[in-house]
């Protein structure tokens, strides 16, 4: 009888030991998973903030274009250059924080659209220095709005 009682006790202690070992192993790996998830979320949050920064800089640049069209050409150009700088800064943050190959492809597409937008903005600056007001607004409403929407599409 004591032998059966002893066997049950030992079996019970072995099961408790296995349960403790599995629980410890699980807690350790859940902790590692939590740390990895936290790191991914932080990196993703930086990318989201960078994207917001790019969108805000586009809005500032659109306001700068309106300043140029209203006759405040130098002030508008300075604001446009400042907006470009902010766009570049945000783009660099997004580029440095990319984690997936699809993000690299998306950033490459943004680069192409950004270059088109930058060239169109430069053309508007050259156009506002002429007296062709009809062409200035037509250019902004046609070409620049289209390139802006292309960038916002991303």
């Amino acid at each position: 009888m004591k032998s059966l009682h002893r066997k049950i006790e030992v079996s019970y202690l072995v099961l408790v030991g296995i349960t403790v070992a599995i629980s410890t192993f699980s807690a350790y790996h859940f902790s590692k998973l939590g740390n990895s998830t936290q790191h991914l979320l932080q990196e993703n949050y930086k990318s989201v903030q960078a994207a917001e920064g790019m969108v805000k800089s586009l809005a500032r640049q659109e306001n700068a274009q309106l300043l140029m069209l209203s006759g405040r050409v130098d002030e508008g150009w300075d604001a446009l250059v400042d907006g470009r700088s902010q766009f570049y800064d945000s783009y660099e943050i997004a580029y440095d924080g990319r984690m997936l190959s699809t993000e690299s492809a998306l950033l490459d597409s943004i680069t192409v659209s950004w270059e088109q937008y930058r060239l169109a903005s430069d053309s508007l600056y050259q156009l506002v220095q002429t007296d062709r007001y009809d062409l200035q607004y037509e250019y902004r409403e046609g070409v620049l709005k289209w390139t802006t929407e292309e960038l916002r599409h991303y």
Side-chain angles (χ1 to χ4, degrees):
M1 180 93 145
K2 283 193 174 202
S3 172
L4 180 61
H5 182 50
R6 181 59 86 202
K7 286 180 182 178
I8 291 174
E9 244 178 32
V10 169
S11 297
Y12 180 73
L13 289 176
V14 168
L15 287 175
V16 168
I18 291 171
T19 303
V20 168
I22 290 173
S23 297
T24 304
F25 179 80
S26 297
Y28 171 74
H29 284 288
F30 273 124
S31 174
K32 279 181 65 175
L33 179 64
N35 291 338
S36 297
T37 304
Q38 182 179 4
H39 176 72
L40 287 173
L41 288 174
Q42 286 173 342
E43 289 299 315
N44 190 37
Y45 184 67
K46 288 178 188 176
S47 294
V48 168
Q49 284 182 317
E52 285 178 358
M54 285 188 273
V55 169
K56 287 179 182 178
S57 74
L58 283 175
R60 287 186 189 104
Q61 291 175 69
E62 284 184 291
N63 289 337
Q65 293 164 7
L66 291 174
L67 277 173
M68 288 191 293
L69 288 171
S70 70
R72 297 160 55 187
V73 178
D74 292 335
E75 184 181 347
W77 179 253
D78 290 342
L80 187 71
V81 169
D82 185 50
R84 283 181 179 176
S85 175
Q86 292 169 357
F87 185 91
Y88 286 132
D89 292 344
S90 295
Y91 180 85
E92 286 298 318
I93 291 169
Y95 190 81
D96 291 342
R98 70 194 185 287
M99 290 186 270
L100 304 172
S101 61
T102 55
E103 287 179 280
S104 293
L106 178 64
L107 288 168
D108 291 342
S109 297
I110 289 172
T111 301
V112 171
S113 293
W114 167 251
E115 188 60 27
Q116 291 173 344
Y117 178 79
R118 191 188 62 74
L119 291 172
S121 294
D122 288 350
S123 296
L124 178 67
Y125 176 67
Q126 293 171 352
L127 196 57
V128 295
Q129 294 175 348
T130 69
D131 290 335
R132 300 291 313 267
Y133 301 111
D134 56 331
L135 286 177
Q136 295 169 8
Y137 283 99
E138 188 177 307
Y139 187 80
R140 182 177 187 282
E141 293 302 312
V143 176
L144 274 171
K145 289 254 181 176
W146 179 79
T147 55
T148 303
E149 289 306 314
E150 280 291 309
L151 274 170
R152 288 186 184 192
H153 173 72
Y154 297 110

